[in-house]
Amino acid sequence: MKPKVAKIISYAFHPLLIPVYSVLLYYTIGLFRYMNPRFLILGILCTIFFSVLIPLLSFLWLSEKGYISSVNIPKKEDRVVPYLICAASLTACSLIMASKHIFPFVYGTLAGGAIVLIICALINNWWKISVHSAAMGCWLGCVLNVWAIGPMSHYFLNNNNAIIISAVILVSGLVTSARMASEQNTPAQVAVGFAIGLAIGYPFLFLFFPGQ
């Protein structure tokens, strides 16, 4: 993979954007067809605000004050505080969605992402880890839970299940390959990040369905 292509893929599937993609993917489920469109729009705007805008503005402020070297946080030592800010922002978004009684698997996915970021922040104190891969692993775990082998999967069985799961697996492969091709992460950092994301993303949603 060429470095330029790898860079484009990394930006297109930046960890800050994965929560937005997750919510949009959930909106394809038939359950959402019966909901007020304004409610759905507010949901995605809320996700964009908390998962993208707040972290970006925080990164800019930290960069201007000299607390981090760049908004791209390339250095391991720059990443702990930004990761925790993202985790707090995703948690806030999850709590707001829960208060609005949106489906548990939606706000559960955002909460799972927050847990993954906290774990990455802790590990990052000793070792650089690929948060891109962790985000993709978490997303794939949640998708498997909802569309394949989770407590809610029997509600969503349709002909698109295999396509959705295959698409997320394909994107995960592209993103992890891009991180290695651009030499941003080693194979070990990518593998561990993805494993952590998957290990949290899949079982985490079971917490929201204790009766299953």
Side-chain angles (χ1 to χ4, degrees):
M1 184 183 294
K2 294 182 179 180
K4 186 175 182 179
V5 175
K7 189 174 183 180
I8 292 173
I9 292 174
S10 293
Y11 278 119
F13 294 96
H14 193 280
L16 297 182
L17 297 174
I18 299 304
V20 179
Y21 295 157
S22 298
V23 174
L24 287 174
L25 185 61
Y26 286 145
Y27 280 4
T28 65
I29 296 173
L31 289 174
F32 290 96
R33 296 173 186 171
Y34 305 100
M35 298 181 69
N36 189 321
R38 292 184 180 179
F39 183 79
L40 299 180
I41 293 173
L42 286 175
I44 195 62
L45 289 177
C46 179
T47 306
I48 292 172
F49 179 76
F50 282 99
S51 72
V52 181
L53 293 182
I54 287 182
L56 278 179
L57 291 174
S58 300
F59 295 175
L60 286 171
W61 183 83
L62 289 171
S63 178
E64 288 180 358
K65 296 297 181 179
Y67 295 118
I68 59 176
S69 58
S70 167
V71 292
N72 293 320
I73 50 176
K75 298 180 179 179
K76 177 176 67 68
E77 54 270 20
D78 288 343
R79 297 184 173 189
V80 175
V81 172
Y83 284 4
L84 293 178
I85 289 173
C86 291
S89 192
L90 280 180
T91 300
C93 186
S94 178
L95 291 174
I96 290 173
M97 286 193 170
S99 70
K100 299 301 180 181
H101 306 292
I102 199 167
F103 297 111
F105 56 86
V106 179
Y107 62 77
T109 295
L110 300 178
I115 298 297
V116 170
L117 280 168
I118 292 172
I119 293 173
C120 288
L122 293 174
I123 294 175
N124 198 77
N125 281 303
W126 298 278
W127 188 59
K128 182 181 177 182
I129 190 170
S130 173
V131 74
H132 276 78
S133 299
M136 294 308 303
C138 184
W139 189 19
L140 178 58
C142 293
V143 165
L144 288 174
N145 191 296
V146 174
W147 274 282
I149 46 179
M152 293 296 291
S153 59
H154 60 283
Y155 292 113
F156 305 138
L157 290 176
N158 56 62
N159 295 331
N160 294 327
N161 286 30
I163 295 175
I164 290 172
I165 295 169
S166 298
V168 177
I169 291 174
L170 175 61
V171 172
S172 298
L174 287 173
V175 172
T176 52
S177 298
R179 300 307 293 170
M180 291 183 288
S182 60
E183 299 183 349
Q184 295 297 315
N185 295 105
T186 66
Q189 292 165 354
V190 167
V192 172
F194 190 82
I196 289 173
L198 188 62
I200 297 297
Y202 175 68
F204 191 75
L205 290 190
F206 280 94
L207 298 177
F208 297 87
F209 302 98
Q212 299 293 330

